[in-house]
């Protein structure tokens, strides 16, 4: 067999995702037929998941620089400056990923591993993880694949609570949406955040000191098995069927908790001794990636001995030991002279081998001055390649072809506010998410101020003793995505910004996860391109610190969310925005407070109901003109809301999104105190679907008449919409919707459909 | 002589509420130190005045929640200290450990006389987090050092557990009431065995059970998560809702103490009385 045929055979036999051209490139690098380990290592490094080979050229459009950015995209997590407290600078660490394919195939494990993986990215920057949130997209639980969709939904929520609650990281909400375009590909996007003292940021490469002194590589955590072998490659192909369960990893929050405590202790020890080190979590590509990247990014080589790796299954081939994605492991590059002390912390002080069979810390490699990646196993050399190639990566320029949806408005737009509101409150997208949140521990760590549902964003007080509050929200609307991929990107930023601003927090950073179908298809790649352009445009307009844009500091691209029948998901750019409020006690929730107060509408309503909840739910129409993104106006409105909060005059603030002004009003009433129920009486008797249901970005603010009167030179986007009443209803002269009669239904709707399988439709 | 009472918070592998619990103790004017499960010697030498077993998932809830931790050597020390009358509080997983070690209700030494079974009640099974209301029994207010200041009012606290249903064997039903310390009720103080007032189907609507002398208390709700007023949800009704609104409007919100603080302040008060 000649080399070409041998490579072809290896790709087929090993189910590699790399093309023959890529395999030939690798063979050229090593100057021979690559070893199995080399093939799998490069298959992972060059997978879409790790290399961003299709997306990288477009991701350059995203604004990533701002004066607040400490670490932008490129390392495991992004870092921005947060606050000063007690003589130290504290930074916010954020990461955002998808775990879509695994969650579709094995929902519990897939979603659990999603959290497990993303928190490691934050931990390994040296941070304490203080929150995570999941952005979930499921198919139609009442549609053709309803039974499967409901099972996936239950499984994903179970995976999230079982992992997150046990790990002790509060769940800060996220969102849950349903669209039949996700019937064959659910989306599980995960965001994690944490805080680190600025002088204690850890990097994921071997430090420069390793050129002067012998450094070794410590592998710590769960013993290696064969789980997740080929995981990154699995995430980089169309989802064919469920025969690929072996590529899904198995998560263990218990081990992770102990490991995190031990890591904290190790990091304290190293910092106190003034020792420079590198620290990186094991994710895609397992040991092979962590060892080669720690070395390559530090301009060193490394020699790894696989015989030293603790394994839980005997006789694993070298490529499996090296590339399996066994969870709950980290790699640590430290000077040889203190390695024994570090091992002691893990193995003796925290007793990892006793707590979990085979777990613990072991030295498995030695950094070398020669820039080669060498791996030994059973006395043989199973890999030997120059390190520079490993991180070099590849780039493709994909073709794209515009395929815009045509704008079709409905023939008529009947408007019956009480009936329409009821339909929306009981719709899948309008029903309360509390059945989902009731499984999540949102309060562990004792720093939660607003839980999911209480305000537009969760607000926490993450640094004990410091008044700086953090607000976080993640958003993305598939119903906009299917009509206008550019606006889907722009509004994902816009809505997340509004949610953060509504609490009184100033947006300081964003992350994104770009979920699309197969990028090799020109129409899909156009959707992706437009989504990136939309996010970039919105971030450039919605910066709140000086002239800086809102920086994207971390993110992820998830392609191939497409079933073998060819159906791609709706374009789904999902954005998380992080905000800071200097005094958290000034933050605002959404609940109505005082009868007689005014309800102020921020943002004129426009006739742009395309993709709205009203169209979908009340008149069964899909299509239409999507709300425009008006960046300058959006920013001015946000600044007004922030000023009101700072002045202490806003008693409740809720952004207007799904269901328009009327649904926002109902949600503000529903969250009022049960022993002090409140409602809203709108001023106008006009039954106008544009006024009541348009999802043009905006806010409702509760404030007293005196506060309203005291506002000098009111901007043109403000108007008085109505008054707070002591009746539990949404009403206007001529109509009234009593909320008590649907309260229980609204609260339990998802529980009844998803968990109790009470399907009445 | 020590300047302030020392409260030991014990960290088991899988505990995850130890830090905020220790902070709650310190914010009540006492000292607190976290001891790892294998630091029994250090724990013994430091001679704490009271012990807290915090929430979490000790030992991965292997066998049953709390079962493995209850057999750890460090628990022998807690057991004998409790027998000497030292105050011991178990919160959530800590309560499960106390139950599994037989320290509550503790009618007969070392016997396991109650269990914290999986949540099960018409309306909801499985893991549940949310806010509940409870009241302290009259007897517990008198004899339990953690409850002296809790009064007769309705106390809102958060829960977050999958196994929080106190159950007793039938022959012990008659004496379960004597060990009742905390009972679920509605926002107005009326007891009920209906979900969600009773969130898990617990016998006698029990949220907390104590030993005979009242010095050991096992409770499922998390007082450390309601230590500060700002930890309360905006919708909390009744007296604590009114207090929350007041602290907000008066500008004292960041420092105002919430309902969960009463459990720790009671202990501090108990030590003041003792000395």
């Amino acid at each position: 067999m000649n080399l070409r045929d041998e490579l072809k055979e290896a790709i087929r036999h090993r189910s590699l995702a790399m093309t023959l051209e890529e395999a030939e490139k690798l063979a050229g690098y090593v100057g021979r037929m690559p070893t199995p380990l080399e093939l799998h290592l490069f298959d992972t490094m060059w997978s879409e998941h790790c290399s961003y080979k299709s997306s990288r050229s477009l991701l350059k459009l995203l604004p990533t620089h701002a004066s607040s950015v400490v670490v932008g995209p490129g390392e495991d997590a992004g870092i921005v400056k947060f606050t000063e407290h007690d003589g130290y600078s504290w930074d916010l660490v954020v990461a955002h990923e998808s775990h879509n394919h695994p969650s579709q195939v094995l929902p519990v494990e897939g979603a659990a591993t999603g959290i497990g993986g993303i928190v490691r990215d934050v931990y390994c920057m040296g941070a304490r993880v203080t929150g995570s949130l999941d952005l979930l997209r499921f198919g139609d639980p009442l549609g053709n694949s309803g039974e499967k969709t409901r099972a996936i939904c239950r499984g994903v929520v179970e995976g999230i609570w079982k992992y997150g609650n046990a790990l002790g990281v509060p769940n800060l909400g996220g969102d849950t949406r349903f669209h039949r375009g996700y019937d064959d590909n659910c989306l599980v996007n995960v965001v994690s955040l944490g805080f680190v003292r600025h002088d204690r940021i850890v990097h994921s490469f071997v430090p420069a000191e390793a050129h002067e002194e012998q450094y070794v590589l410590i592998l710590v955590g769960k013993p290696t098995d064969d789980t997740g072998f080929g995981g990154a490659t699995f995430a980089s192909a169309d989802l064919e069927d469920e025969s690929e369960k072996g590529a899904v990893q198995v998560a263990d929050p218990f081990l992770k908790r102990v490991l995190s405590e031990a890591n904290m202790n190790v990091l304290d020890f190293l910092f106190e001794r003034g020792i420079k080190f590198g620290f990186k979590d094991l994710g895609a590509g397992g040991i092979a990636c962590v060892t080669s990247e720690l070395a390559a990014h530090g301009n060193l080589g490394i020699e790894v001995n696989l015989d030293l790796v603790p394994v839980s299954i005997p006789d694993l081939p070298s490529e499996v030991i090296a590339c399996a994605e066994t969870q709950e492991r980290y790699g640590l590059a430290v000077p040889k002279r203190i390695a024994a002390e570090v091992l002691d912390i893990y193995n003796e002080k925290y007793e990892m081998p006793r707590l979990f069979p085979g777990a613990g810390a072991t030295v498995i490699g030695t950094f070398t001055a020669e820039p080669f990646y060498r791996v030994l196993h059973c006395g043989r050399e199973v890999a030997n390649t120059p390190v520079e190639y490993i991180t070099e990566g590849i780039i493709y320029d994909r073709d794209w072809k515009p395929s815009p949806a045509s704008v079709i408005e409905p023939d008529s737009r009947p408007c019956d506010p009480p009936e329409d509101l009821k339909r929306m409150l009981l719709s899948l997208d309008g029903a309360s998410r509390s059945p989902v949140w009731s499984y999540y521990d949102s309060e562990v760590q004792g720093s939660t101020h607003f839980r999911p549902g209480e305000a537009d964003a969760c607000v926490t007080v993450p640094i004990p003793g410091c008044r700086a509050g953090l607000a976080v929200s993640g958003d993305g609307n598939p119903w906009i995505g299917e009509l206008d991929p550019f606006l889907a990107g722009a509004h994902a930023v816009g809505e997340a910004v509004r949610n953060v601003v509504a609490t009184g927090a100033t947006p300081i950073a964003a992350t994104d996860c770009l979920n699309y179908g197969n990028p090799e298809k020109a129409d899909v790649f156009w959707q992706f391109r437009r989504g990136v352009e939309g996010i970039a445009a919105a971030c450039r307009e919605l910066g709140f610190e000086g002239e800086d844009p809102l920086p994207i500091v971390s993110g992820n691209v998830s392609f191939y969310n497409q079933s073998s029948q060819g159906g791609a998901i709706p374009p789904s750019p999902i954005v998380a925005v992080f905000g800071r409020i200097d005094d958290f006690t000034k933050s605002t929730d959404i609940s109505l407070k005082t009868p007689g107060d005014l309800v102020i509408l921020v943002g004129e309503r426009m006739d742009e109901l395309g993709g709205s909840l009203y169209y979908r739910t009340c008149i069964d129409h899909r299509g239409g003109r999507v709300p425009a993104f008006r960046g300058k106006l959006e920013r001015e409105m946000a600044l007004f809301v922030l000023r009101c909060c700072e002045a202490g005059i806003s008693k409740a603030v809720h952004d207007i999104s799904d269901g328009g002004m009327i649904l926002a009003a109902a949600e503000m009433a529903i969250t009022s105190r049960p022993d002090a129920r409140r409602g809203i009486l709108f001023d106008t008797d006009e039954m106008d679907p544009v006024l009541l249901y348009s999802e043009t970005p905006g806010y409702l603010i509760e404030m007293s008449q005196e506060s309203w009167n005291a506002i000098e030179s009111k901007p043109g986007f403000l108007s008085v919409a109505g008054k707070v009443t002591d009746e539990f209803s949404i009403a206007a002269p001529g109509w009234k919707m009593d909320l008590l009669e649907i309260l229980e239904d609204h609260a339990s709707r998802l529980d009844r459909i998803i968990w109790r399988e009470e399907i009445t439709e | 002589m020590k300047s302030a009472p020392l409260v030991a918070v014990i960290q088991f592998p899988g505990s995850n509420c130890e830090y905020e619990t220790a902070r709650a103790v310190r914010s009540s004017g006492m000292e607190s130190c976290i001891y790892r499960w294998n630091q029994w010697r250090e724990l013994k030498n430091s001679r704490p005045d009271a012990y807290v077993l915090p929430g979490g998932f000790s030992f991965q809830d292997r066998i049953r929640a709390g079962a493995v931790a209850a057999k750890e050597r460090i628990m022998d020390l807690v057991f004998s200290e409790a027998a000497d009358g030292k105050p011991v509080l178990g919160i959530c997983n800590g309560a499960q450990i106390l139950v599994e070690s037989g320290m509550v209700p503790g009618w007969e030494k070392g016997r396991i006389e109650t269990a914290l079974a999986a949540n099960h009640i018409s309306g909801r099974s499985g893991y549940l987090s949310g806010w509940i209301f409870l009241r302290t029994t009259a007897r517990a207010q008198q004899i339990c050092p953690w409850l002296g200041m809790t009064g007769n009012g309705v106390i809102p606290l958060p829960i977050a557990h999958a196994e929080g249903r106190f159950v007793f064997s039938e022959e012990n039903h008659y004496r379960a009431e004597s060990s009742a310390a905390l009972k679920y009720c509605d926002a107005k103080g009326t007891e009920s065995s209906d979900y969600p007032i009773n969130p898990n189907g617990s016998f006698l609507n029990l949220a907390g059970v104590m030993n005979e002398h009242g010095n050991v208390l096992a409770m499922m709700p998390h007082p450390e998560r309601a230590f500060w007023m700002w930890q309360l949800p905006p919708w909390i009704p009744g007296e604590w809702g009114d207090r929350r609104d007041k602290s907000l409007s008066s500008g004292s919100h960041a420092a105002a103490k919430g309902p969960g603080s009463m459990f720790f302040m009671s202990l501090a008060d108990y030590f003041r009385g003792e000395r």
Side-chain angles (χ1 to χ4, degrees):
Chain A
M1 239 191 310
N2 64 28
L3 182 67
R4 195 179 163 86
D5 289 339
E6 235 182 299
L7 289 169
K8 231 190 243 175
E9 174 55 22
I11 288 171
R12 192 194 61 77
H13 164 68
R14 300 189 167 275
S15 307
L16 302 179
M18 64 168 58
T19 62
L20 182 57
E21 291 68 41
E22 289 167 357
E24 284 180 316
K25 187 173 172 179
L26 170 58
Y29 284 165
V30 295
R32 57 179 156 76
M33 175 67 194
T35 66
L37 198 162
E38 287 163 352
L39 282 167
H40 284 281
L41 170 59
F42 279 84
D43 199 46
T44 298
M45 299 303 275
W46 288 349
S47 70
E48 193 66 63
H49 182 80
C50 294
S51 73
Y52 297 92
K53 59 189 170 190
S54 299
S55 56
R56 207 181 325 165
S57 52
L58 283 176
L59 294 178
K60 290 197 183 114
L61 297 173
L62 298 173
T64 55
H65 296 287
S67 51
S68 59
V69 175
V70 178
V71 175
E75 286 200 55
D76 292 273
I79 303 183
V80 286
K81 292 178 195 160
F82 189 73
T83 194
E84 305 280 324
H85 177 65
D86 229 2
Y88 293 109
S89 293
W90 287 87
D91 293 346
L92 167 68
V93 185
V94 295
H96 189 160
E97 258 193 11
S98 61
H99 231 232
N100 304 336
H101 281 48
S103 302
Q104 177 74 20
V105 177
L106 281 174
V108 180
E109 292 80 356
T113 321
I115 297 194
I118 198 75
V119 296
R120 276 200 307 278
D121 287 330
V122 175
Y123 278 126
C124 77
M125 306 303 287
R128 200 167 55 86
V129 179
T130 61
S132 72
L133 49 159
D134 286 84
L135 301 314
L136 309 175
R137 303 291 179 269
F138 299 113
D140 180 358
L142 301 170
N144 292 338
S145 309
E147 194 178 340
K148 187 174 169 194
T149 295
R150 297 191 296 273
I152 289 175
C153 184
R154 286 193 300 270
V156 165
V157 171
E158 184 182 336
I160 293 168
W161 78 251
K162 282 197 167 159
Y163 198 96
N165 296 0
L167 183 61
V169 170
N171 188 299
L172 303 181
D175 66 350
T176 307
R177 283 176 170 278
F178 303 93
H179 184 296
R180 64 180 177 224
Y182 303 116
D183 277 357
D184 297 322
N185 288 274
C186 71
L187 300 185
V188 175
N189 281 198
V190 206
V191 172
S192 175
L193 61 98
F195 288 85
V196 64
R197 244 172 61 186
H198 188 78
D199 56 330
R200 285 194 158 205
I201 291 173
V202 175
H203 291 284
S204 46
F205 49 81
V206 62
E209 282 73 8
H211 289 275
E212 312 299 324
E213 181 184 355
Q214 180 64 61
Y215 268 58
V216 293
L217 189 283
I218 292 175
L219 174 71
V220 60
K222 199 171 171 181
T224 298
D225 52 29
D226 59 353
T227 52
F229 183 57
T233 311
F234 167 58
S236 308
D238 288 0
L239 195 52
E240 291 300 333
D241 56 46
E242 304 195 352
S243 64
E244 301 173 80
K245 291 184 179 174
V248 181
Q249 311 90 339
V250 183
D252 191 320
F254 166 72
L255 187 58
K256 176 73 118 298
R257 175 75 197 181
V258 180
L259 187 50
S260 303
E261 289 293 306
N263 280 342
M264 246 182 359
N265 210 284
V266 167
L267 265 49
D268 283 349
F269 163 78
L270 294 170
F271 278 117
E272 274 157 28
R273 290 279 200 90
I275 291 162
K276 298 282 186 285
F277 61 100
F279 189 42
K280 187 171 171 60
D281 78 303
L282 272 72
I287 292 171
C289 280
V290 82
T291 50
S292 59
E293 288 188 6
L294 274 166
H297 291 300
N299 300 314
L300 283 173
I302 187 169
E303 188 178 294
V304 179
N305 188 346
L306 293 182
D307 296 313
L308 300 176
V309 174
V311 290
S312 55
I313 302 174
D315 304 325
L316 290 173
S318 20
E319 65 271 22
V320 174
I321 298 175
C323 298
E325 295 177 11
T326 307
Q327 292 293 289
E328 326 308 0
R329 298 180 299 168
Y330 293 87
L332 185 63
V334 295
K336 191 178 178 186
R337 66 187 151 92
I338 57 101
E341 286 171 88
V342 172
L343 296 183
D344 259 9
I345 295 177
Y346 290 114
N347 298 337
E348 305 299 327
K349 207 167 167 185
Y350 285 86
E351 296 190 277
M352 291 192 58
R354 173 172 87 97
L355 300 177
F356 192 102
T362 323
V363 173
I364 65 159
T366 309
F367 290 91
T368 61
E370 309 77 49
F372 285 90
Y373 182 64
R374 290 184 71 224
V375 182
L376 309 174
H377 190 209
C378 301
R380 287 181 306 122
E381 182 179 271
V382 289
N384 188 348
T385 167
V387 284
E388 66 198 81
Y389 296 134
I390 293 174
T391 50
E392 180 196 65
I394 43 179
I395 286 192
Y396 287 122
D397 281 320
R398 301 284 188 198
D399 291 334
W400 50 277
K401 186 185 84 201
S403 49
S406 45
V407 174
I408 304 164
E409 293 294 339
D411 296 333
S412 71
R413 298 193 296 199
C415 180
D416 176 355
E419 182 57 27
D420 293 338
L421 176 55
K422 183 176 174 185
R423 276 172 176 268
M424 291 195 277
L425 279 169
L426 300 182
S427 69
L428 287 170
D429 281 340
S432 167
R433 268 58 191 140
S434 56
V436 175
W437 300 326
S438 71
Y439 287 95
Y440 299 161
D441 186 343
S442 295
E443 302 179 307
V444 62
Q445 298 187 5
S447 56
T448 306
H449 180 45
F450 289 146
R451 283 143 289 265
E454 294 173 359
D456 277 350
C458 280
V459 175
T460 72
V461 193
I463 302 161
C466 174
R467 283 211 182 189
L470 171 92
V472 58
S473 175
D475 295 276
N477 185 337
W479 304 96
I480 296 179
E482 66 180 6
L483 296 175
D484 190 318
F486 174 84
L487 288 174
H491 283 307
V493 178
E495 173 153 20
V497 163
R498 280 197 303 284
N499 283 333
V500 163
V501 164
T503 67
T506 303
I508 55 170
T511 58
D512 64 341
C513 185
L514 304 159
N515 307 274
Y516 292 87
N518 182 344
E520 296 158 44
K521 303 204 164 150
D523 57 332
V524 169
F525 201 67
W526 172 78
Q527 293 171 345
F528 170 71
R529 185 188 175 92
R530 294 296 286 157
V532 174
E533 288 170 352
I535 292 174
C539 284
R540 279 195 300 271
E541 303 237 38
L542 294 178
F544 291 87
E545 297 187 276
E547 297 299 305
D548 284 343
L550 179 65
I552 298 271
V553 295
S554 184
N556 176 239
V557 179
S558 172
F559 283 129
Y560 300 97
N561 293 291
Q562 184 142 11
S563 63
S564 48
Q565 288 83 33
I569 58 163
S572 305
I574 292 176
V575 173
V577 167
F578 309 83
R580 179 190 56 235
I581 180 164
D582 291 331
D583 179 355
F584 77 91
T585 65
K586 289 189 171 179
S587 57
T588 38
D589 62 77
I590 66 170
S591 65
L592 296 174
K593 311 272 182 329
T594 316
D597 277 354
L598 298 181
V599 177
I600 306 301
L601 169 64
V602 181
E604 195 186 334
R605 304 294 83 202
M606 308 281 184
D607 189 347
E608 43 189 17
L609 282 84
S612 66
L613 188 58
Y614 163 69
Y615 272 12
R616 278 143 46 208
T617 302
C618 303
I619 62 170
D620 197 22
H621 179 80
R622 286 175 74 180
R625 191 168 55 255
V626 173
F629 181 76
R630 305 170 180 89
K632 197 165 168 288
L633 174 65
E634 185 87 58
R635 187 166 181 278
E636 281 173 18
M637 293 193 301
L639 288 172
F640 174 78
V641 171
L642 292 174
R643 276 199 303 273
C644 288
C645 180
E646 180 59 35
I649 60 173
S650 45
K651 295 191 192 173
V653 184
H654 193 12
D655 93 305
I656 297 173
S657 57
D658 295 58
M661 184 169 81
I662 195 170
L663 193 65
E667 287 168 346
M668 295 174 81
I670 285 170
T671 47
S672 61
R673 273 173 61 164
D675 61 343
R677 284 296 184 195
R678 303 289 178 251
I680 288 178
L681 176 66
F682 288 120
D683 285 349
T684 177
D685 59 357
E686 227 180 318
M687 294 213 217
D688 174 11
V690 172
L691 176 70
L692 294 173
Y693 311 141
S694 172
E695 298 177 8
T696 304
Y699 305 82
L700 290 181
I701 303 180
E702 174 187 346
M703 67 173 72
S704 69
Q705 179 80 54
E706 301 77 68
S707 300
W708 172 247
N709 293 345
I711 297 174
E712 287 168 27
S713 59
K714 297 182 177 73
F717 52 71
L718 295 184
S719 60
V720 176
K723 274 196 170 62
V724 178
T725 66
D726 59 4
E727 260 187 60
F728 194 35
S729 63
I730 301 300
W735 61 268
K736 182 164 140 181
M737 162 79 193
D738 185 359
L739 291 170
L740 194 61
E741 62 188 49
I742 53 90
L743 185 64
E744 173 53 30
D745 260 9
H746 168 71
S748 64
R749 176 99 175 125
L750 291 188
D751 184 43
R752 281 179 288 123
I753 294 175
I754 309 284
W755 279 271
R756 301 187 195 205
E757 300 248 332
E758 289 173 15
I759 312 300
T760 49
E761 275 80 352
Chain B
M1 192 179 154
K2 280 182 288 192
S3 54
L6 172 65
V7 179
V9 175
I10 301 184
Q11 175 190 52
F12 292 99
S15 296
N16 62 25
C17 302
E18 59 271 46
Y19 297 99
E20 58 269 36
T21 303
R23 282 202 302 273
V25 170
R26 284 181 210 123
S27 300
S28 307
M30 296 176 286
E31 278 178 34
S32 186
C33 188
I34 296 173
Y35 296 87
R36 214 170 45 249
W37 62 92
N38 52 13
Q39 287 181 308
W40 63 272
R41 196 181 302 277
E42 289 89 333
L43 181 67
K44 190 170 184 195
N45 291 342
S46 63
R47 302 178 57 197
D49 299 290
Y51 298 80
V52 183
L53 312 183
F57 290 70
S58 61
F59 289 94
Q60 209 168 15
D61 286 353
R62 290 171 192 163
I63 307 174
R64 288 183 309 278
V68 180
K71 305 287 180 288
E72 283 285 297
R73 185 171 185 179
I74 201 165
M75 281 305 294
D76 296 343
L77 188 64
V78 177
F79 194 96
S80 68
E81 289 279 273
D84 287 347
K86 293 260 180 87
V88 178
L89 172 67
I91 302 167
C92 199
N93 186 236
Q96 293 161 340
I97 297 169
L98 288 181
V99 161
E100 289 290 338
S101 67
M103 288 165 70
V104 290
W107 295 314
E108 285 165 55
K109 195 179 170 183
R111 280 195 61 176
I112 299 178
E113 294 156 324
T114 180
L116 280 160
N119 297 353
H120 186 66
I121 188 167
S122 174
R124 182 68 150 73
S125 294
Y127 191 95
L128 178 67
S129 71
W131 283 67
I132 51 82
F133 301 91
L134 54 78
R135 291 176 67 177
T136 319
T137 63
R139 184 172 143 77
Q141 285 177 48
Q142 286 168 5
I143 65 167
C144 182
W146 306 92
L147 301 176
M149 291 169 71
T150 51
N152 290 318
V154 175
I155 303 168
L157 288 181
I159 56 161
H161 60 251
E163 288 99 19
R165 181 165 57 100
F166 279 102
V167 291
F168 297 83
S169 63
E170 224 162 282
E171 70 264 25
N172 279 327
H173 279 184
Y174 78 97
R175 54 177 172 176
E177 186 68 53
S178 68
S179 301
L182 306 168
K183 290 185 160 201
Y184 298 113
C185 62
D186 68 12
K188 294 197 172 81
T190 308
E191 237 187 87
S192 162
S193 55
D194 292 337
Y195 178 82
I197 296 166
N198 178 335
N200 51 28
S202 198
F203 184 64
L204 296 176
N205 309 312
L206 289 169
V209 168
M210 58 185 176
N211 68 346
E212 217 176 337
H213 300 289
N215 62 315
V216 184
L217 172 66
M219 63 187 291
M220 289 312 295
H222 284 273
E224 81 282 11
R225 299 181 185 184
F227 190 92
W228 303 104
M229 199 67 91
W230 56 262
Q231 294 172 310
L232 264 63
W235 55 265
I236 285 293
E239 187 198 337
W240 281 101
D242 294 343
R243 288 202 206 176
R244 181 184 182 277
D245 290 352
K246 208 170 147 199
S247 76
L248 261 175
S249 56
S250 69
S252 61
H253 202 49
K257 289 198 171 78
S261 69
M262 295 190 296
F263 295 76
F264 302 96
M265 301 298 281
S266 292
L267 184 71
D269 187 59
Y270 166 82
F271 286 128
R272 272 193 298 274
E274 206 177 46
R275 278 162 198 202

